[in-house]
Amino acid sequence: MEVIVGTAGHIDHGKTALIKALTGVDADRLPEEKRRGITVDLGFAEMSAGDVHFGFVDVPGHERFVKNMLAGASGIDVVLLVIAADEGVMPQTREHFDICRLLGVNAGIIVLTKSDLVDAETLELAKLDAAELSENSFLENAPVICVSSRNGSGIDELKETLVQISSNLQRKDAQLVMRLPIDRSFSVKGFGAVVTGTLASGKISEGDEIELLPSKTKVRVRGLQTHGQKVKRATAGQRVAVNLGGIDHSMAERGMELAEPNVLRPTQIFDSEIEVLASAPKPLRSRQRVRIHIGTVETLARIQILNGTGEIAPGEKDFVQIRFETPVIAVPNERFIVRRYSPQITIAGGTVIDTFAVKHRRKEIESSRLFIRDLLSATSNHNALVKLLIHAAGFAGLSFNDLEMRTALQKEHVSKAIEANISSLDLVDAGGRYISFTAFGDLSKSVESAVEQFHKREPMAKGMPREALRESIFAFLPPEIFPALIASLESAGKIVLDKDTIRVSSYETTLSPDGAALSEKILAKYKSAGLEAPKLEDALAESITGTKFTRHEARKFLQLFLDSGEIVKVTEEFYFTKDSIKDLTAKLLQLATATSDHTVDVAKFKEIAGVSRKYAIPLLEYFDREKITQRLGDKRVIL
């Protein structure tokens, strides 16, 4: 079993000495720390007790180094709240305690250090001080252990208590994608770039191709170590050192993350729920510039309060939108800390809810709050979460990768949630885009209505051009949706797709008596002309003589015959009846059987067709296009 233990407490209260007494390791690794005698950055140590392996993260206690403390606090399972018995609770004790509570740490031990330096009465006062601090918190009933790092008293009891607490810890979520927030980056001679951190979720294996975020740099895992030992794989909750191939160590730094490739994406806006500390000096207000600590990164942001007052009073909770000045990596349900821009003090903490939120308009605040509340309640219900996200996406739907990014769930869990929603008729798979059943139905109705309206406007057209329909309804939607919806309607018998046109299945072209008369007149003209058809404009002009129709309207009647195949278009000028083309084709094939080389020249073609060169050349080019003949020099081979 792997457990990460973090220290918390005021400067010079003995956190580093306590870690050394427990593990034998001096977690102060920097020359500056040795020289000054204080911790300024994260330190690390480890020990085994029973069947538990503990990784310790020692944090600086000075107020100037809270930024570094926060980089190590985000991944801990158990906190050792260190209070010096000779001083009691101090300002950084309170801030560190608040940070741990806001980050959702729910297990810990109160450790009274330097207990050998005080008498029984002072020690009892320190216990009362600690009890007052932890009242109504996750440490209210936590063990209180008095220790001396100098003479070792209480250390064995502390080890035993750590083992007992560990047996009741909630395990890290194994259903999320691999994420490793980086807290250190350095180079090892002969190995190259190495980064370390606490694996927040998922697993990482030697040889994996992964991604460095937010730069989106692809890297390879050359090697792994946990507890100083080489391993092939590490799992969520473990401290891990990763030897990276493909980059120099200067390209990776604290605040970046390693993640499964092509899943997580940087964001600059997310919705969240925030709790403002009761000790905060002022309410948290909209447009306030703050420092956000999430994962191992500190970044600047603006707060947008999502309520009618535009502020959250000390001790209160509410929904907010956080708008970052630089991109960050975040996943749903991740905890973060809010500190004032200046002076830098901790004022609030929150939980990420929607990692890729849109900016909320003032008039939409209530509906936005309802959606955020629903998302928050669906955090642990994957089916409900996927359904909510897709319903909110409307007609555009979401892709599989969108859902991975928005939920941070591993592929198999995203797939199961999608399948469950499709089975319950809540979602539709539209060519790889997942759309709510309701939105898909509304789009289908829009298509049917658009085609029906087209039939009313153009009663003589065989159907609405496919591209015109796509542009009118689907121009701003993902391209996969249109063919998927058309296929669905066609399968249901609602529409008929005929080459590049779409019509409602029940539609039939109907002509008025005058229209039918003009139609017959046009067809008769081409039938009587045979292979010496008039030019199109002449044919139309002659047909409409004595009628109320225009040439443009007459073209629509001609189109009916083109759609039915009764008339064949050879060029923009010349049209012939189907029977005339059929008869000429038969003559060509008959000629082919009568000649040894199966060829025909222009002169012979004019003879068998009984037409002049004016018609012969366009007809021969038509037969070439239709693969009935193939040009070979001055002749055509009859195929």
Side-chain angles (χ1 to χ4, degrees):
M1 184 178 181
E2 304 285 342
V3 175
I4 304 299
V5 181
T7 60
H10 198 74
I11 184 174
D12 202 31
H13 275 208
K15 296 185 293 299
T16 304
L18 177 64
I19 296 300
K20 187 173 183 180
L22 282 166
T23 68
V25 175
D26 183 357
D28 280 348
R29 54 189 170 79
L30 302 177
E32 180 186 359
E33 294 174 320
K34 304 290 188 185
R35 185 179 69 255
R36 296 174 62 183
I38 63 169
T39 300
V40 300
D41 202 358
L42 302 177
F44 305 96
E46 59 184 90
M47 75 169 189
S48 294
D51 61 352
V52 184
H53 193 101
F54 293 96
F56 289 89
V57 181
D58 185 31
V59 303
H62 197 288
E63 63 179 344
R64 287 174 51 199
F65 304 117
V66 171
K67 172 183 175 179
N68 294 342
M69 178 269 177
L70 280 159
S74 61
I76 66 175
D77 302 305
V78 178
V79 62
L80 298 180
L81 184 62
V82 176
I83 302 172
D86 60 343
E87 289 191 334
V89 172
M90 297 291 283
Q92 288 312 118
T93 316
R94 296 183 185 280
E95 184 169 21
H96 283 204
F97 169 71
D98 284 336
I99 287 169
C100 290
R101 184 178 63 79
L102 293 170
L103 285 175
V105 178
N106 53 27
I109 301 170
I110 297 173
V111 183
L112 299 180
T113 55
K114 305 183 182 182
S115 61
D116 57 320
L117 301 181
V118 299
D119 55 28
E121 184 178 351
T122 304
L123 189 60
E124 192 60 33
L125 287 173
K127 289 180 181 180
L128 291 173
D129 211 6
E132 182 181 351
L133 174 67
S134 61
E135 187 177 4
N136 297 321
S137 78
F138 72 102
L139 288 180
E140 183 173 32
N141 298 312
V144 179
I145 299 176
C146 303
V147 304
S148 169
S149 299
R150 186 172 60 176
N151 64 30
S153 66
I155 296 299
D156 288 340
E157 181 186 358
L158 178 56
K159 288 181 180 180
E160 291 172 5
T161 306
L162 277 169
V163 173
Q164 291 170 6
I165 285 179
S166 299
S167 63
N168 297 319
L169 287 179
Q170 186 176 355
R171 295 292 83 203
K172 301 281 185 182
D173 193 338
Q175 298 178 330
L176 300 181
V177 296
M178 187 281 288
R179 288 177 59 236
L180 178 70
I182 295 171
D183 53 37
R184 290 179 66 203
S185 171
F186 50 92
S187 181
V188 176
K189 189 174 181 180
F191 291 90
V194 176
V195 299
T196 68
T198 301
L199 196 59
S201 57
K203 60 180 182 293
I204 186 170
S205 301
E206 185 179 310
D208 281 353
E209 297 292 333
I210 57 176
E211 195 171 38
L212 178 65
L213 297 171
S215 66
K216 302 182 184 178
T217 306
K218 296 293 189 295
V219 293
R220 184 173 59 84
V221 179
R222 294 174 60 185
L224 295 169
Q225 281 193 4
T226 61
H227 321 309
Q229 302 296 317
K230 288 190 67 175
V231 294
K232 293 292 184 182
R233 187 176 78 168
T235 56
Q238 289 184 300
R239 287 288 306 173
V240 59
V242 187
N243 181 202
L244 297 175
I247 62 166
D248 184 82
H249 86 279
S250 61
M251 296 171 65
E253 60 185 24
R254 177 178 293 175
M256 291 183 168
E257 292 196 11
L258 294 177
E260 185 176 323
N262 305 315
V263 175
L264 301 181
R265 285 290 173 268
T267 182
Q268 285 191 250
I269 298 180
F270 65 58
D271 289 337
S272 63
E273 183 179 48
I274 274 185
E275 175 189 350
V276 178
L277 289 172
S279 58
K282 296 178 180 178
L284 186 65
R285 293 189 171 91
S286 280
R287 298 295 301 157
Q288 184 172 339
R289 197 180 193 209
V290 295
R291 300 174 186 272
I292 301 291
H293 295 260
I294 185 165
T296 56
V297 71
E298 176 198 44
T299 187
L300 297 174
R302 297 276 182 183
I303 298 285
Q304 187 68 33
I305 310 295
L306 301 179
N307 64 26
T309 66
E311 65 177 43
I312 306 175
E316 298 296 323
K317 276 186 180 183
D318 214 328
F319 296 129
V320 306
Q321 183 165 92
I322 300 181
R323 300 171 184 175
F324 293 92
E325 296 182 12
T326 55
V328 299
I329 304 301
V331 299
N333 218 33
E334 186 173 6
R335 298 292 190 111
F336 60 90
I337 296 297
V338 183
R339 305 191 84 217
R340 285 182 63 173
Y341 177 69
S342 181
Q344 295 184 37
I345 60 171
T346 301
I347 55 174
T351 303
V352 179
I353 298 175
D354 188 355
T355 49
F356 289 88
V358 296
K359 287 187 177 181
H360 303 299
R361 301 180 205 170
R362 184 168 298 179
K363 63 182 181 180
E364 297 171 346
I365 290 296
E366 275 310 307
S367 60
S368 298
R369 287 175 62 84
L370 286 172
F371 177 64
I372 296 168
R373 186 178 294 116
D374 288 343
L375 277 181
L376 182 61
S377 64
T379 301
S380 59
N381 185 330
H382 300 164
N383 295 354
L385 182 60
V386 165
K387 178 182 174 180
L388 275 169
L389 290 171
I390 290 176
H391 275 254
F395 293 146
L398 295 174
S399 68
F400 189 92
N401 187 242
D402 291 336
L403 288 167
E404 285 184 291
M405 180 178 64
R406 297 286 294 274
T407 64
L409 290 171
Q410 294 173 9
K411 287 179 173 57
E412 61 180 291
H413 299 293
V414 175
S415 295
K416 287 178 181 177
I418 289 171
E419 289 166 9
N421 278 288
I422 290 175
S423 297
S424 61
L425 300 182
D426 286 308
L427 303 183
V428 175
D429 182 353
R433 301 288 299 189
Y434 299 98
I435 306 177
S436 74
F437 189 84
T438 302
F440 193 79
D442 290 344
L443 271 178
S444 299
K445 290 175 184 175
S446 295
V447 166
E448 290 183 78
S449 176
V451 177
E452 286 170 353
Q453 290 301 315
F454 179 85
H455 289 324
K456 290 178 181 178
R457 292 193 308 271
E458 303 288 346
M460 289 178 292
K462 71 172 182 178
M464 185 174 186
R466 178 188 174 98
E467 193 60 21
L469 178 62
R470 189 188 69 78
E471 283 293 328
S472 67
I473 298 177
F474 298 86
F476 301 104
L477 296 181
E480 308 96 311
I481 296 175
F482 178 56
L485 192 139
I486 294 303
S488 172
L489 286 173
E490 189 177 26
S491 176
K494 298 290 183 67
I495 63 170
V496 175
L497 181 60
D498 185 0
K499 294 182 180 178
D500 292 327
T501 62
I502 296 170
R503 70 174 190 272
V504 174
S505 56
S506 59
Y507 179 72
E508 290 183 6
T509 304
T510 56
L511 301 178
S512 66
D514 289 343
L518 177 59
S519 177
E520 289 300 322
K521 194 173 180 181
I522 293 171
L523 181 59
K525 184 168 289 296
Y526 278 104
K527 280 184 177 181
S528 63
L531 291 174
E532 294 184 320
K535 289 184 178 180
L536 175 62
E537 290 303 317
D538 293 338
L540 296 180
E542 292 173 18
S543 298
I544 63 174
T545 300
T547 73
K548 61 179 181 180
F549 294 104
T550 65
R551 289 189 187 186
H552 177 71
E553 290 169 328
R555 277 179 174 270
K556 295 181 181 180
F557 287 101
L558 175 66
Q559 187 64 45
L560 294 175
F561 294 116
L562 292 173
D563 293 341
S564 67
E566 199 68 25
I567 290 179
V568 177
K569 178 181 177 180
V570 171
T571 68
E572 291 296 333
E573 283 188 328
F574 293 120
Y575 293 74
F576 302 88
T577 64
K578 174 182 67 176
D579 290 339
S580 297
I581 296 295
K582 184 177 178 182
D583 290 344
L584 184 53
T585 303
K587 289 177 181 179
L588 277 175
L589 296 176
Q590 187 177 2
L591 177 64
T593 60
T595 58
S596 59
D597 57 1
H598 305 292
T599 62
V600 62
D601 58 17
V602 175
K604 187 62 177 177
F605 183 79
K606 287 166 56 181
E607 179 186 331
I608 66 169
V611 295
S612 66
R613 187 179 182 86
K614 170 184 171 182
Y615 295 105
I617 298 303
L619 284 165
L620 279 169
E621 290 175 349
Y622 167 78
F623 285 128
D624 289 344
R625 292 195 302 273
E626 294 298 309
K627 309 299 183 188
I628 295 169
T629 60
Q630 181 178 349
R631 186 166 184 172
L632 191 65
D634 293 333
K635 294 185 177 183
R636 259 85 173 177
V637 177
I638 304 169
L639 302 175

